[in-house]
């Protein structure tokens, strides 16, 4: 019995995506087959796992495989698997509506892309591989039956905005995707997807590492008779189980692209083999480019987990910490239960041990890269540095190693970042602090008044502009015996003349007291500064205070933060400040002195990139003062 055929519309964004595929000008159309084989492989993995979990599931898992069947006359290509299959609702949810797969972001990136090759790369990155079928097909038919269900589902579309769906009785378990191929380009036979040599070439290039047999229907002559039979065309050997020396670099690259859906080559490959009382193998990759959703909360992360070559789960977060969420790969354990769940993994001692060892191996790989391949390291750090630094807050065990592999902009060199080890090595004798300043950008930090005295004395200051820097640097305990010291917090001792300082404190004392009282709504205190050389004033926080940037970050996250008053420091050598002292000592007009105090505070706020509490009032006072000076 067959139910009536129902015609449905694609989701709006899905229609846009289909049109891009139908009218595709992408150069590498071969990738559609890789995507379909990858989907089939996932379906086989899921069936094997489900058969272990559900002992009552009546399925035969003795011959799980993927078949490729081409008809040259009808110009059709079928990719078939006997995996988990899909229910009718899953077909509609996974194919008719694709909002969950990041389509909107995919389309935005696609429009921003300047060339067809870059656009092609995005197909795998956003997990919309099924739709790449329409690059080569005028019509796609999907027939599927979910394991354990009695009826199947047929889905068909020409990629024009609608699809049909119906329930069928005689569908075999699993999924088959049949493509009605577009007319062959007679001038270019490289895209004949019914040709045996072409299909074999694509499988070898992209899917040779697939664990399951990929069987291609081929013609064979036996005693002058032509027969058709299925021949396995992939090696099927798990890459992570092979010796590193016997695997060509190209195979590692293709394997990475398969599991990550990233079309860029990996930056580095990490092969781990642990033997002894607890055995496992791992094949991990450091990407060369950060994914678009690296800092999105809802993104999936983690590596694939296998047990004795049996797929257990994607995105196993328990094996890789949040700050290494960009690491891709496979971990194959020998001694875990096949029925392991995420809840069990969180408590499993072996999983925790594996995680610790894998993290150390990844960090040591980055450290080796830093020493032996500086260009690779520079690429890695520019893409993933902010994420790695999150580990300084969450991974106390590896904090020293993470600090070792960090790089920071510095006043020592305008172009080249520095490591902390190099900073410490350059320290002048007697300096106990690693000086730093946080800010939104390098240009804002470098123009800050806080750096003036440090520049004048030739003292190096780290320039920290990532949001995470605001948090870890205060939480840290230092590095190699040196403590971190913000040049914008607390009082700094830059070997000032003690006697001169004492005299200035006595001279400016009355003015500082008056200013502290006059500006009590805005600042905690007014004092003389030892960090200014050319600017009249700056604002500094007390040690332990939240920085203005950190205050904004917390408020943006909806967390209430009490307003923090800071200290206004004055440059006793600046003519504006000495003029104020003279006017105050002579009993100057209190209103004018009050306006000058407000201007000093406002200028200090603007100099660090802050926002004036009352811009209109500030500009009026400034305009009036300028008018009177003319």
């Amino acid at each position: 019995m067959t139910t009536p055929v129902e015609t449905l519309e694609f989701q709006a964004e899905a229609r846009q995506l289909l049109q891009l595929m139908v009218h595709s000008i992408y150069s590498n159309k071969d990738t559609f087959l890789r995507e379909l084989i990858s989907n089939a492989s996932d379906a086989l993995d899921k069936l094997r796992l489900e058969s272990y979990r559900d002992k009552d599931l009546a399925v035969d898992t003795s011959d799980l495989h993927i078949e490729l069947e081409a008809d040259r006359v009808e110009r059709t290509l079928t990719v078939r698997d006997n995996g988990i299959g899909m229910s009718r609702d899953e077909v509609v949810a996974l194919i008719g509506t694709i909002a969950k797969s990041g389509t909107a972001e995919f389309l935005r990136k696609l429009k921003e892309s300047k060339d067809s090759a870059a656009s092609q790369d995005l197909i795998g990155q956003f997990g919309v591989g099924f739709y790449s079928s329409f690059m080569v097909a005028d019509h796609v038919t999907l027939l599927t039956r979910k394991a354990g269900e009695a009826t199947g589902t047929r889905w068909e579309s020409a990629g024009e905005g609608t699809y049909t769906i119906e329930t069928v009785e005689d569908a075999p378990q699993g999924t088959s995707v049949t493509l009605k191929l577009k007319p062959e380009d007679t001038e270019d036979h490289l895209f004949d997807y019914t040709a045996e040599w072409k299909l074999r070439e694509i499988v070898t290039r992209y899917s040779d590492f697939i664990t399951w047999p990929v069987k291609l229907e081929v013609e064979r002559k036996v005693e002058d008779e032509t027969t058709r039979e299925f021949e396995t065309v992939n090696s099927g050997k798990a890459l992570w189980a092979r010796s590193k020396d016997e695997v060509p670099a190209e195979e590692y690259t293709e394997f990475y692209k398969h599991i990550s859906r990233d079309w860029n080559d990996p930056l580095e490959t990490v092969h781990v083999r642990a033997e002894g009382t607890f055995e496992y193998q791992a094949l991990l990759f450091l990407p060369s480019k950060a994914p678009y959703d690296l800092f999105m909360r809802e993104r999936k992360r983690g590596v694939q987990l296998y047990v004795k070559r049996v797929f257990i789960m994607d995105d196993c977060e328990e094996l890789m910490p949040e700050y290494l969420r960009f690491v891709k790969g496979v971990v194959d354990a020998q001694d875990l239960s096949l029925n392991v769940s995420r809840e069990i993994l969180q408590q499993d001692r072996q999983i925790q041990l594996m995680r610790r060892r894998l993290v150390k191996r990844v960090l040591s790989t980055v450290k080796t890269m830093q020493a032996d391949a500086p260009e690779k390291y520079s690429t890695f750090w520019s893409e993933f540095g902010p994420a790695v630094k999150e580990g300084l807050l969450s991974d106390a065990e590896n904090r020293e190693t993470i600090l070792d592999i960090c790089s920071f902009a510095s006043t020592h060199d305008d172009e080249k970042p520095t490591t902390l080890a190099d900073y410490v090595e350059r320290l002048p004798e007697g300096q106990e602090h690693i000086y730093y300043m946080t800010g939104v950008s390098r240009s804002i930090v470098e123009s800050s008044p806080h750096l003036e005295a440090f520049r004048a004395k030739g003292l190096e200051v780290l320039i920290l502009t990532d949001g995470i820097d605001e948090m870890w640097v205060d939480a840290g305990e230092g590095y190699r015996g040196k403590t971190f010291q913000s040049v914008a917090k607390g009082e700094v001792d830059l070997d000032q003349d003690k006697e001169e300082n004492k005299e200035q404190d006595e001279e400016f004392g009355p003015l500082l007291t008056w200013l502290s009282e006059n500006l009590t709504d805005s600042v905690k205190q007014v004092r003389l500064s030892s960090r200014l050389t050319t600017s009249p004033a700056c604002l500094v926080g007390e040690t332990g205070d939240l920085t203005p940037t950190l205050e904004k970050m917390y408020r943006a996250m909806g967390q209430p933060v009490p307003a923090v008053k800071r200290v206004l420091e004055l440059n006793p050598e600046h003519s504006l400040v000495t003029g104020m002292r003279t006017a105050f000592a002579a009993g100057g007009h209190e209103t004018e002195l009050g306006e000058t105090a407000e201007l000093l505070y406002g200028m200090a706020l603007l100099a660090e990139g802050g926002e004036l509490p009352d811009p209109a009032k500030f500009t009026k006072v400034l305009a009036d003062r300028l008018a009177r000076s003319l």
Side-chain angles (χ1 to χ4, degrees):
M1 186 183 92
T2 303
T3 60
V5 177
E6 187 179 359
T7 300
L8 301 173
E9 286 192 359
F10 282 104
Q11 171 201 31
E13 289 169 345
R15 289 200 300 272
Q16 296 178 49
L17 181 57
L18 283 166
Q19 287 302 304
L20 286 168
M21 296 302 179
V22 170
H23 303 292
S24 169
I25 56 170
Y26 300 143
S27 57
N28 189 8
K29 298 179 188 294
D30 294 357
T31 53
F32 84 93
L33 185 56
R34 168 191 165 169
E35 294 298 324
L36 294 182
I37 291 175
S38 178
N39 290 344
S41 175
D42 290 344
L44 295 171
D45 286 338
K46 289 173 183 175
L47 180 65
R48 173 64 69 86
L49 178 60
E50 193 61 29
S51 68
Y52 279 107
R53 288 178 173 170
D54 185 358
K55 299 301 182 184
D56 296 326
L57 187 64
V59 292
D60 181 6
T61 59
S62 61
D63 183 28
L64 298 180
H65 61 272
I66 302 165
E67 291 180 351
L68 307 181
E69 186 177 345
D71 187 322
R72 204 153 200 169
V73 177
E74 296 295 327
R75 289 200 54 73
T76 61
L77 173 64
T78 299
V79 180
R80 182 184 300 112
D81 68 73
N82 54 348
I84 191 71
M86 290 181 283
S87 66
R88 180 189 176 99
D89 289 343
E90 286 173 335
V91 170
V92 174
L94 296 175
I95 298 179
T97 305
I98 51 178
K100 293 180 181 176
S101 65
T103 311
E105 181 69 9
F106 172 85
L107 291 170
R108 186 180 70 78
K109 292 280 187 178
L110 208 53
K111 289 174 183 176
E112 292 175 358
S113 176
K114 302 299 183 185
D115 60 86
S116 61
S119 300
Q120 174 65 32
D121 291 349
L122 292 169
I123 294 174
Q125 179 179 347
F126 285 84
V128 292
F130 173 80
Y131 298 89
S132 63
S133 302
F134 289 97
M135 292 194 295
V136 300
D138 287 327
H139 191 277
V140 177
T141 300
L142 179 144
L143 182 63
T144 184
R145 178 169 66 84
K146 189 165 186 176
E149 294 191 356
T151 58
T153 303
R154 180 183 288 113
W155 176 99
E156 294 187 55
S157 178
E160 296 297 333
T162 63
Y163 61 90
T164 62
I165 190 166
E166 61 181 312
T167 300
V168 294
E169 296 291 336
D170 55 352
Q173 175 195 302
T175 302
S176 67
V177 180
T178 300
L179 312 182
K180 178 65 175 176
L181 298 170
K182 294 180 179 181
E184 183 179 355
D185 185 345
T186 55
E187 296 181 1
D188 190 350
H189 296 282
L190 293 178
F191 298 111
D192 181 5
Y193 298 111
T194 63
E196 177 187 325
W197 70 268
K198 181 63 175 177
L199 298 174
R200 190 184 294 271
E201 176 192 71
I202 296 173
V203 172
T204 301
R205 181 179 181 188
Y206 290 116
S207 306
D208 192 55
F209 45 78
I210 293 289
T211 306
W212 308 105
V214 179
K215 299 181 178 182
L216 173 64
E217 188 181 41
V218 298
E219 286 188 357
R220 289 290 178 264
K221 281 192 175 182
V222 180
E223 298 179 358
D224 295 329
E225 288 188 12
T226 300
T227 62
R228 299 187 70 82
E229 60 185 53
F230 283 96
E231 175 187 318
T232 300
V233 289
N234 66 318
S235 68
K237 189 173 182 181
L239 223 62
W240 59 87
R242 294 156 65 182
S243 168
K244 188 175 182 180
D245 297 333
E246 69 180 70
V247 180
E250 295 78 12
E251 288 194 44
Y252 280 130
T253 296
E254 291 306 326
F255 181 74
Y256 164 74
K257 290 179 178 180
H258 166 67
I259 62 172
S260 67
R261 302 299 174 92
D262 180 3
W263 287 78
N264 299 293
D265 290 355
L267 189 67
E268 194 64 68
T269 302
V270 185
H271 208 139
V272 182
R273 184 186 297 270
E275 298 177 342
T277 55
F278 180 50
E279 296 185 4
Y280 63 91
Q281 297 162 330
L283 185 55
L284 306 177
F285 298 93
L286 303 182
S288 57
K289 192 167 183 59
Y292 75 98
D293 58 352
L294 181 63
F295 294 101
M296 293 183 182
R297 286 185 180 180
E298 64 274 13
R299 80 180 303 273
K300 292 183 177 180
R301 66 176 180 85
V303 296
Q304 294 182 355
L305 175 62
Y306 282 71
V307 174
K308 299 176 183 175
R309 312 283 177 83
V310 176
F311 173 77
I312 300 299
M313 68 179 67
D314 273 319
D315 311 313
C316 182
E317 299 177 355
E318 290 74 19
L319 285 170
M320 202 58 60
E322 176 76 19
Y323 73 93
L324 296 179
R325 56 188 173 275
F326 51 84
V327 175
K328 300 296 182 183
V330 168
V331 177
D332 189 357
Q334 302 302 308
D335 302 315
L336 290 176
S337 166
L338 290 172
N339 293 314
V340 70
S341 66
R342 290 193 183 277
E343 290 73 21
I344 294 173
L345 288 177
Q346 292 171 359
Q347 307 298 326
D348 192 279
R349 188 187 66 82
Q350 291 179 335
I351 286 289
Q352 299 306 314
L353 181 61
M354 287 167 59
R355 173 183 168 125
R356 290 180 64 190
R357 291 177 177 174
L358 292 174
V359 168
K360 289 184 181 298
R361 185 63 180 273
V362 169
L363 295 179
S364 68
T365 298
V366 176
K367 196 168 184 178
T368 300
M369 195 191 307
Q370 186 183 43
D372 300 339
E375 287 189 7
K376 268 189 176 183
Y377 166 78
S378 178
T379 298
F380 170 84
W381 193 253
S382 65
E383 295 290 330
F384 303 106
V388 172
K389 284 188 283 188
E390 293 173 14
L392 294 172
L393 292 171
S394 60
D395 190 353
E397 181 180 350
N398 292 300
R399 181 180 178 277
E400 195 75 12
T401 303
I402 296 173
L403 285 174
D404 281 338
I405 65 174
C406 286
S407 286
F408 305 99
S410 162
T411 56
H412 175 73
D413 192 317
D414 291 340
E415 301 294 332
K416 186 180 177 183
T418 183
T419 64
L420 289 177
D422 289 341
Y423 181 103
V424 170
E425 191 174 326
R426 290 191 293 267
L427 282 181
E429 187 176 349
Q431 182 177 327
E432 296 301 319
H433 302 300
I434 296 173
Y435 292 117
Y436 72 89
M437 183 171 178
T438 60
V440 176
S441 68
R442 176 167 190 149
S443 60
I444 289 177
V445 172
E446 287 187 320
S447 61
S448 170
H450 297 93
L451 295 184
E452 292 174 359
F454 292 86
R455 274 208 185 91
K457 292 184 174 293
L459 296 175
E460 182 177 356
V461 178
L462 300 179
I463 300 171
L464 310 183
T465 56
D466 291 326
I468 190 66
D469 292 330
E470 296 280 354
M471 291 177 272
W472 73 259
V473 77
D474 278 340
E477 299 174 359
Y479 178 78
R480 297 190 181 180
K482 305 297 181 181
T483 56
F484 290 100
Q485 172 67 51
S486 171
V487 302
K489 282 187 178 183
E491 297 190 57
V492 297
D493 181 7
L494 298 180
D495 298 326
Q496 301 289 323
D497 187 316
K498 304 297 182 183
E499 284 299 319
E500 182 182 354
N501 288 347
K502 186 177 180 181
E503 290 177 8
Q504 287 178 338
D505 287 340
E506 291 175 356
E507 291 176 9
F508 284 88
L511 174 63
L512 296 177
T513 300
W514 181 85
L515 285 173
S516 296
E517 294 172 353
N518 196 266
L519 295 174
T520 187
D521 291 339
S522 303
V523 301
K524 183 184 298 184
Q525 178 191 359
V526 182
R527 68 187 180 210
L528 296 182
S529 177
S530 61
R531 71 187 92 215
L532 297 173
T533 59
T534 58
S535 298
C538 69
L539 287 165
V540 301
E542 297 285 33
T543 303
D545 282 354
L546 290 180
T547 64
T549 304
L550 200 53
E551 276 190 66
K552 289 180 183 177
M553 287 172 58
Y554 281 129
R555 289 198 174 98
M557 292 186 290
Q559 298 185 26
V561 179
V564 177
K565 289 184 182 180
R566 291 186 292 156
V567 175
L568 178 65
E569 288 194 350
L570 304 183
N571 180 359
E573 305 296 332
H574 195 280
S575 58
L576 177 58
V577 178
T578 56
M580 279 192 74
R581 184 200 66 190
T582 302
F584 182 79
H589 196 280
E590 190 168 312
T591 301
E592 288 195 355
L593 285 172
E595 288 179 349
T596 305
E598 286 187 33
L599 291 176
L600 268 176
Y601 171 73
M603 287 188 294
L605 200 56
L606 290 173
E608 66 176 17
E611 297 178 0
L612 294 168
D614 190 346
K617 182 180 179 182
F618 178 84
T619 54
K620 183 180 184 306
V621 171
L622 180 60
D624 290 346
R625 293 300 295 271
L626 289 173
R628 290 200 297 270
S629 68
L630 294 176

